[in-house]
Amino acid sequence: MAGAGNVQTQQPFNVNTASAQGLQGAMGGTAMGMAYNPQQVQAGQLANTNLQQYQNPYTQQVIDAQAQDVLRNAQLGLNQLGTQAQKAGAFGGSRHGVAMGEIGRGVAQTLGQQSAQLRQAGFQNAQQMAQQDIASRMQADLANQQSGLSGAQMRLGASAQMGDLANLGFGMGQTINQNMMQQGAMQRALNQQLIDVAQQRYAERMGLPQQTIGYVSQALGASPIPQSQTTTKQPGLFDYLTLGTTAYGYSQSDIRLKKDLEKVGKLKNGLNIYKWKWIEGAEKLGTKVNLKMTMGVIAQEVQKLKPEAVAVDANGYLMVDYGAI
Amino acid sequence: MSGGKGGSQTTQATIPDWAKEPTVRNLQRAEDLQKVGYMPYYGADVAGFSPMEQQAMQNTMNQASAFGLAQPGANAMAGMPQTQMYDIGGGQQIAGYSAGNLYDQALAETQARNPEFAQRYDELFKG
């Protein structure tokens, strides 16, 4: 039972550390893959092979055993030849000697042939076994070479996968961190809003006296400094001419209703200014006759220069719009 | 309107009797207010980085360390001024900075470099 004291503290997973270690591992694995040299395979040669190890260690014993058999059979033949020679009374004779010699030659020949055949068979067997060994070794070497290549490829694949995982972890870490930064910025913005409001209220408090001054000013009038305005004016000639005409628009100015004309001035546009007296009953003859207006232009002259400023009344008299000249 | 006009016009502004007293009083108050001068704000001006922002910055620093681009254990907030805590009521506080000391320093610097100018300026607010 594991007590509290036996609990091993495990480092919490850290995506940054994992990514960095993964990237480092992937780079190391890739570097190893780049440096990988496949196992070299060389063909074995029979000529360089010591065939002795493939020889039957009992070859000589087999030869010796066979030789004993041959010699035993030869001895039996000699015995039989001796018996036959005794019976024929020729034992020890020349024919007996020739026969014995023949047997000896046959024995020697047989022994030589058998020994050579056994040694030849042993050599061929050793050669065949050596070739099989060479072929087996070649096959094993090729298999090892292939497994080494497969292992290297597998390690490269694992390195690439580790690199991908490291990259994935890095991206996840980045995304989470950006989210944290954005949310943290929102929190800071909230605090800043509080501070801004506090500053604004402080400014309002400090600006309040100034603002109350404005209140009084506003209460005193539309303008900050209340005032009444008195305007005095010294009228000019044209002011005089237009005096009383603006309310009516057109004013009677036909020369046929005027008398005692006296030229008193000239406008910049060339029209002459006259003083006159109205003829008797002018106000009945023409319309819009202002008997107090005894200075101005003559409608007939205006008609030549600015015909648009002249109109004809119901009785055919000419009127002038002073605002249009 | 064309043609010669001639003549002249003068305008005379007069304060109505009913407005004289409050107007004078208002002017006096404005003068009194002018003597007060500038009253600096020494409260918080700028909010400090939030804990989550600081953590995000530390994460970035840790990431840099993990990739060998910074010293292990480096503090992301190193070199940043320490925030002051400001009460916002209810036992709550926010971290922030005040520009009050910077203002005081700038004003003192101005007074040290241009004492005559500073004196003339300050006299504008004296009674």
Side-chain angles (χ1 to χ4, degrees), chain A residues 187-201, chain B residues 41 44-45 47 86-89 92-95:
Chain A
Q187 293 174 347
R188 178 163 52 87
L190 180 64
N191 289 344
Q192 186 63 54
Q193 281 183 338
L194 282 171
I195 291 172
D196 291 345
V197 170
Q199 282 184 327
Q200 183 183 347
R201 290 188 180 172
Chain B
Y41 167 82
D45 288 300
Y86 295 89
D87 290 332
I88 60 171
Q92 303 294 311
Q93 290 182 317
I94 58 173

Side-chain angles (χ1 to χ4, degrees), chain B residues 7-90:
Chain B
S8 62
Q9 176 173 309
T10 56
T11 300
Q12 183 179 5
T14 56
I15 300 175
D17 290 340
W18 58 268
K20 280 183 180 174
E21 186 182 347
T23 300
V24 170
R25 194 168 60 235
N26 217 28
L27 285 171
Q28 184 61 50
R29 189 168 188 178
E31 284 199 350
D32 292 344
L33 183 61
Q34 172 205 338
K35 295 171 190 170
V36 174
Y38 181 60
M39 295 180 70
Y41 167 82
Y42 286 103
D45 288 300
V46 179
F49 289 119
S50 67
M52 190 175 281
E53 276 182 306
Q54 294 182 40
Q55 183 60 62
M57 290 178 187
Q58 188 60 49
N59 288 343
T60 302
M61 183 61 83
N62 292 345
Q63 200 166 37
S65 299
F67 282 84
L69 301 176
Q71 292 296 324
N75 183 3
M77 297 302 290
M80 289 294 294
Q82 190 73 30
T83 55
Q84 285 181 277
M85 301 308 292
Y86 295 89
D87 290 332
I88 60 171

Side-chain angles (χ1 to χ4, degrees), chain A residues 15-16 18-20 163-179, chain B residues 63 67:
Chain A
V15 71
N16 295 331
S19 296
D164 290 343
L165 287 171
N167 193 36
L168 180 67
F170 180 79
M172 289 170 64
Q174 287 285 87
T175 301
I176 293 171
N177 211 33
Q178 285 170 1
N179 289 340
Chain B
Q63 200 166 37
F67 282 84

